[in-house]
Amino acid sequence: MATLNIKRNVFAENDRIAEILREHFAKNKTFVINIIGSPGCGKTTLLEKTIEHFKGKYKIYTLVGDVQTEEDAVRLREAGGDAKQIITGGACHLDARMIEKEFEESIPKSLDMLIIENVGNLVCPSSYDLGEDHKVVIVSVPEGEEKPLKYPSIFIRADLFILSKVDYLALGGFDKEKILANGKKVNPKIRELCLSSRSGEGMDEWFEWIEESIRNKKNS
Ligand SMILES: Nc1nc2c(ncn2[C@@H]2O[C@H](COP(=O)(O)OP(=O)(O)O)[C@@H](O)[C@H]2O)c(=O)[nH]1
Ligand SMILES: [Mg+2]
C-alpha cells in the first residue's frame, strides 16, 4: 500500500512540473515534441535529417536522453543542430524535473521548436509527461507488426505514430498494413506516418506536419 502511494506521488509531482513547463512553452510559443521508441528505431537519424532540413528557417533545440554517453548530442551538433545530452545514469526515461533543470540552464527561450528524444524504450517514458504538445511514437519496420499491441500505453498517449525504416519493406516479409491497423486498434485517433530517413520516402509529410504544428503554436 505504501509503495502504491509513493508511486502515485511521484507521478503527481511529475505532472505538476510538466504543467508549469507547458505554461512556459505556451507563453514562449515553443512547439514541443517528446519522441519515444526502442533503441535503434531511428530516432536520432530522423532528427539529424530534420535539423538539416530546417536549418536557417526555424530555431530548434534538441534534448537527447540516454543511459550513458554523449553520442547522440554529438551527432546532432555535427548535423548543425543545437543539442544537449541528458545522461540518466540508469533511469529508463526522462522526467519533467530533468526538463525543468534544462529549462533553467540550457534551453533558449526564443525557440520555434523543442525536440526531446527520450531514452530508447517503449514502456517507462510513456508514463512521464514532459510538458510536450505531442508524444510521438516510433516503431521501425524490422521490429515487427505486433508492437502496438504489446506496448499499448505509449500508443494510447501518442498523437503521432511513425513507422520508420520503410526502405526495408522492399525486402519483403513485413506487413505494413498490419502494424498500422494494430496502431489504430489501440488508438483509433492516432495519426500515422510512414517514412525512411535513408531513402527519403515520407520525409516531406513529416516536415509538413512540423511546419503546420509550429504555425498552429504561433497562432495559439
Ligand atoms: N535502413 C534504414 N536504417 C536506418 C534508418 N534510420 C536509421 N537507420 C539506422 O538504424 C540504426 C540506429 O539509428 P539511430 O538513429 O541511432 O536510432 P535511435 O537509437 O533510435 O536513435 C543506425 O545504424 C541507422 O543508420 C532508415 O530509415 N532506414
Ligand atoms: Mg538515439
Side-chain angles (χ1 to χ4, degrees):
M1 204 62 177
T3 320
L4 272 181
N5 275 336
I6 291 167
K7 249 190 157 171
R8 257 200 300 272
N9 289 342
V10 168
F11 288 130
E13 177 61 2
N14 186 84
D15 288 351
R16 189 188 67 79
I17 298 168
E19 260 330 298
I20 295 171
L21 284 169
R22 189 167 281 111
E23 281 166 25
H24 283 304
F25 294 138
K27 204 167 79 199
N28 298 344
K29 306 269 183 203
T30 300
F31 173 55
V32 186
I33 57 171
N34 175 6
I35 298 188
I36 296 170
S38 299
C41 70
K43 299 180 290 301
T44 310
T45 310
L46 180 62
L47 299 190
E48 288 171 312
K49 301 288 178 192
T50 305
I51 284 166
E52 284 161 13
H53 181 81
F54 286 120
K55 199 160 172 46
K57 178 159 192 183
Y58 292 129
K59 198 162 175 213
I60 298 176
Y61 190 77
T62 312
L63 292 174
V64 218
D66 269 304
V67 172
Q68 280 302 340
T69 86
E70 294 258 349
E71 300 255 340
D72 281 4
V74 169
R75 280 172 61 187
L76 295 172
R77 286 196 288 267
E78 281 173 0
D82 201 1
K84 171 103 189 271
Q85 187 81 42
I86 302 176
I87 296 174
T88 65
C92 53
H93 59 270
L94 298 177
D95 63 37
R97 197 170 282 292
M98 298 174 190
I99 309 302
E100 183 189 40
K101 182 171 177 287
E102 294 307 327
F103 189 81
E104 284 161 5
E105 293 176 7
S106 77
I107 301 174
K109 301 301 167 280
S110 62
L111 277 183
D112 296 305
M113 185 177 189
L114 172 67
I115 305 177
I116 304 168
E117 178 183 332
N118 220 307
V119 181
N121 185 337
L122 280 172
V123 185
C124 318
S126 71
S127 304
Y128 291 84
D129 186 354
L130 303 180
E132 70 276 339
D133 292 293
H134 299 297
K135 283 186 173 64
V136 175
V137 60
I138 306 188
V139 177
S140 62
V141 163
E143 287 172 64
E145 294 84 3
E146 76 292 350
K147 289 301 171 295
L149 305 178
K150 284 188 173 176
Y151 303 99
S153 69
I154 180 54
F155 281 83
I156 289 165
R157 293 179 172 112
D159 297 303
L160 180 65
F161 166 25
I162 293 180
L163 179 64
S164 65
K165 307 194 186 181
V166 292
D167 52 296
Y168 279 131
L169 291 171
L171 298 176
F174 303 111
D175 191 339
K176 174 181 151 187
E177 296 314 320
K178 192 167 174 189
I179 188 169
L180 295 178
N182 283 340
K184 279 269 191 263
K185 208 181 278 179
V186 177
N187 178 357
K189 288 195 188 140
I190 204 162
R191 182 167 169 176
E192 297 153 338
L193 223 156
C194 302
L195 56 78
S196 165
S197 302
R198 190 159 289 181
S199 71
E201 185 185 342
M203 293 296 281
D204 282 349
E205 206 184 325
W206 163 243
F207 297 143
E208 277 162 25
W209 182 80
I210 290 177
E211 295 224 39
E212 192 190 329
S213 303
I214 289 177
R215 256 198 319 271
N216 289 342
K217 192 78 187 198
K218 297 269 174 248
N219 296 329
S220 64

